[in-house]
């Protein structure tokens, strides 16, 4: 005789195949969403803190390279990992006295909360008006002189042909006043591209390298302004390293 198993009872549940209730499924879904959002915020915060950051341009001092309300992406690995070079456009904290005192503008609670969240992920640049954007002209040890008979600025005796400079009509001097300055160790000589509308090292002195937040690498907004930012290495190619 062969042994026959009794037929399974119709509708009987199989062990280990219980399904979660609808309420539990919703809770699991919400948990996953919270974990994903939290992970995204943490990653974005780390990127903003250590790698890149967004700033907007509040003034005309860097025209026509940068226009008012342009948004730029800044590489924060400069100068700790990537060395600074002449021609770099850098964002730096106010060393003191460069920026006028700005009245605090109150925000609605919802607006302030949204701005705080966006700032964590680098999509908001609420502190842009506490920073400045200029182009590095002189490195530590450089002697900056202006202007020669052709209206040019010189570094260590080498005159520069600066295609990025914006000048008033019928003007050839790249600075409205003559000067000669030696750049101390640990500092930078910076100038705006809009030379006749820029309060820079000519008026406020050098910038400590410790105050540099990073180097601007790209205009990210508006879309029709998207472009990589050039540091014009050929302009400074003939300049000897300062001793």
């Amino acid at each position: 005789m062969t042994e026959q198993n009794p037929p399974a009872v119709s509708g009987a549940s199989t062990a280990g195949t219980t399904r979660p209730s609808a309420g539990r499924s919703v809770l699991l879904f919400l948990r996953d969403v919270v974990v994903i959002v939290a992970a995204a915020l943490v990653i974005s915060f780390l990127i903003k803190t250590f790698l890149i950051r967004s700033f907007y341009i509040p003034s005309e001092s860097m025209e026509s390279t940068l226009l008012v309300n342009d948004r730029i992406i800044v590489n924060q690995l400069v100068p700790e990992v990537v060395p600074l070079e002449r021609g770099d456009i850098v964002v730096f904290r106010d060393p003191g006295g460069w920026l006028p005192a700005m009245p605090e503008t109150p925000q609605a609670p919802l607006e302030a909360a949204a701005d705080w969240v966006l700032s964590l992920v680098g999509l908001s640049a609420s502190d842009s008006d506490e920073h400045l954007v200029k182009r590095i002209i002189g490195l530590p040890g450089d002697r900056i002189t202006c202007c020669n008979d052709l209206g040019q600025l010189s570094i260590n005796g080498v005159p520069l042909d600066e295609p990025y400079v914006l000048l008033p009509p019928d003007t050839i001097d790249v600075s409205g006043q003559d000067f000669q300055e030696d750049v101390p160790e640990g500092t930078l000589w910076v100038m705006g591209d809009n030379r006749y509308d820029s309060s820079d090292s000519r008026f406020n002195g050098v910038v400590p390298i410790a105050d540099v937040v990073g180097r601007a690498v790209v205009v990210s907004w508006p879309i029709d302004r998207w472009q990589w930012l050039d540091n014009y290495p050929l302009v400074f190619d003939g300049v000897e390293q300062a001793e």
Side-chain angles (χ1 to χ4, degrees):
M1 287 180 66
T2 59
E3 185 178 357
Q4 294 182 344
N5 293 325
V9 179
S10 176
S13 62
T14 303
T17 61
T18 56
R19 298 179 180 176
S21 65
R24 179 173 173 77
S25 297
V26 171
L27 289 176
L28 289 173
F29 172 75
L30 291 177
R31 182 201 66 183
D32 291 344
V33 169
V34 169
V35 170
I36 291 170
V37 171
L41 286 173
V42 169
I43 292 170
S44 298
F45 175 76
L46 292 174
I47 289 174
K48 176 200 164 183
T49 303
F50 299 107
L51 297 179
I52 63 173
R53 188 174 173 189
S54 174
F55 286 89
Y56 72 84
I57 304 302
S59 75
E60 299 86 0
S61 69
M62 282 297 293
E63 290 183 352
S64 56
T65 304
L66 300 173
L67 305 181
V68 174
N69 291 326
D70 278 354
R71 286 187 178 269
I72 56 175
I73 300 298
V74 173
N75 173 12
Q76 295 190 112
L77 295 177
V78 175
E80 287 81 2
V81 178
V82 181
L84 293 166
E85 297 180 358
R86 301 182 188 94
D88 287 346
I89 296 174
V90 290
V91 173
F92 57 95
R93 292 178 291 272
D94 183 358
W98 285 57
L99 293 170
M102 299 290 290
E104 224 176 281
T105 306
Q107 286 183 307
L110 186 59
E111 182 185 3
D115 189 61
W116 179 78
V117 172
L118 290 174
S119 69
L120 284 180
V121 298
L123 297 179
S124 172
S126 57
D127 61 347
S128 289
D129 56 2
E130 300 170 12
H131 296 76
L132 298 104
V133 182
K134 305 292 180 189
R135 190 181 297 276
I136 296 176
I137 301 300
L139 296 175
D142 284 345
R143 171 164 290 185
I144 315 296
T145 306
C146 197
C147 299
N148 63 16
D149 292 341
L150 299 177
Q152 296 169 303
L153 178 147
S154 300
I155 302 178
N156 303 333
V158 178
L160 306 183
D161 182 13
E162 301 178 276
Y164 44 79
V165 171
L166 178 65
L167 300 177
D170 303 320
T171 303
I172 63 168
D173 286 358
V174 295
S175 174
Q177 60 282 322
D178 293 343
F179 62 88
Q180 178 174 294
E181 298 288 344
D182 294 324
V183 184
E185 195 63 34
T187 67
L188 303 168
W189 181 274
V190 299
M191 298 177 75
D193 288 356
N194 189 0
R195 292 286 167 81
Y196 284 74
D197 192 11
S198 174
S199 181
D200 48 40
S201 288
R202 292 170 293 173
F203 307 97
N204 298 306
V206 293
V207 173
I209 293 176
D211 287 335
V212 173
V213 173
R215 177 170 66 88
V217 294
V218 68
V219 177
S220 60
W221 190 262
I223 294 299
D224 61 352
R225 290 270 305 145
W226 194 97
Q227 60 179 311
W228 293 104
L229 293 170
D230 195 350
N231 66 352
Y232 295 89
L234 292 180
V235 171
F236 305 90
D237 188 48
V239 179
E240 297 292 333
Q241 186 67 33
E243 296 182 0

